[in-house]
């Protein structure tokens, strides 16, 4: 189970990360996807990345997602776009999935390395699943500048610099062959969609038992974003190559 805040705040998100469809298409090119490609999408959310890749490259994408509301949205969106023959979205905890080694051309984990306990463990978990010559793509935050301000309340988050993030892949034996970083526009679109969704939900659900908790999380993260996060936190999709 994930906190209900996310279900409320991300109900309008096409893509639940600070990136864009255009950047996901660039990712698909860098992953060399085509109609014969098999892609694993860990923490597939409402299906945004999987649907964008399947539509553009006609690849098949297997998503695993823990939140029922997101999995349902992904299935509905796939059906509405006529893509159900290419994509599947399984409900479950991705860290407990038993997946066949070397059975994917690419394995993605966009914005969810916490599922495996961090970036290094994510790379270690996904690399065995892709064939030699395949790719592991992880969307991950990184610190844009150090030191972080003393009053930045998320300063203990387990991220490192851009260079340090690449080093995690390379230490695991996967050279990073692509980097697709988020712009300020990507961040603003992603973050401010939360603001609108939460305000609208609160206005229509005043008596809801979770309203206070959702309002307080919303306020805390909104001001945190404006004060420090927009300046200090980067996000990028890092693509590691599994050498043949
Ligand atoms: C930041 S969102 C990213 C969603 C999607 N990758 C995207 O880019 O649109 C993180 C997702 O991880 C999912 N998640 C969290 N823990 C999970 C787990 N143990 N197994 C599978 N999915 C999980 C959340 O429900 C959420 O959909």
């Amino acid at each position: 189970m994930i906190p209900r805040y996310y279900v409320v705040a991300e109900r309008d998100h096409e893509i639940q990360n600070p990136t864009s469809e255009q950047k996901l298409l660039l990712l698909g090119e860098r992953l060399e996807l085509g109609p014969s490609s098999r892609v694993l999408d860990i923490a597939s959310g409402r299906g945004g990345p999987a649907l964008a890749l399947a539509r553009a490259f006609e690849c098949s994408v297997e998503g695993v997602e823990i939140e029922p509301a997101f999995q349902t949205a992904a299935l509905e969106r796939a059906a509405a776009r006529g893509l159900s023959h290419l994509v599947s979205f399984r409900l479950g905890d991705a860290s407990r999935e038993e997946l066949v080694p070397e059975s994917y051309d690419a394995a993605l984990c966009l914005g969810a390395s916490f599922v495996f306990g961090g970036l290094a463990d994510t790379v270690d978990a996904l690399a065995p699943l892709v064939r030699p010559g395949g790719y592991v793509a992880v969307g991950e935050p990184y610190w844009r500048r150090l030191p972080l301000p003393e009053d930045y309340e998320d300063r203990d988050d387990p991220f490192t610099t851009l260079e340090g993030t690449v080093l995690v892949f390379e230490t695991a034996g996967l050279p990073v062959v692509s980097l697709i970083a988020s712009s300020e526009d990507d961040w603003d679109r992603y973050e401010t969609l939360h603001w609108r969704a939460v305000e609208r939900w609160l206005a229509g659900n005043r008596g809801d038992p979770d309203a206070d908790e959702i309002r307080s999380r919303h306020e805390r993260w909104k001001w945190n974003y404006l004060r420090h996060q927009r300046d200090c936190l980067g996000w990028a999709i890092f693509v590691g190559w599994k050498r043949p």
Side-chain angles (χ1 to χ4, degrees), residues 58-79:
E58 296 174 50
C59 55
S60 62
V61 186
E62 211 176 291
V64 186
E65 168 56 45
I66 204 168
E67 169 52 51
F70 290 163
Q71 182 231 13
T72 302
L75 291 170
E76 287 172 358
R77 294 167 78 199

Side-chain angles (χ1 to χ4, degrees), residues 107-180:
L108 318 180
C109 179
L110 303 178
S113 64
F114 52 82
V115 167
F116 298 103
L119 178 60
D121 289 330
T122 299
V123 175
D124 285 348
L126 298 188
L129 302 176
V130 303
R131 64 169 170 81
Y135 297 97
V136 171
V138 183
E140 184 74 358
Y142 61 90
W143 299 125
R144 289 166 60 84
R145 60 185 56 83
L146 292 174
L148 297 167
E150 288 293 331
D151 62 338
Y152 182 9
E153 62 183 53
D154 291 340
R155 66 201 305 274
D156 293 328
D157 278 352
F159 310 132
T160 177
T161 58
L162 185 66
E163 185 189 8
T165 308
V166 170
L167 206 55
V168 172
F169 275 82
E170 308 235 341
T171 304
L174 276 72
V176 168
V177 293
S178 269
L179 172 67
I180 303 172

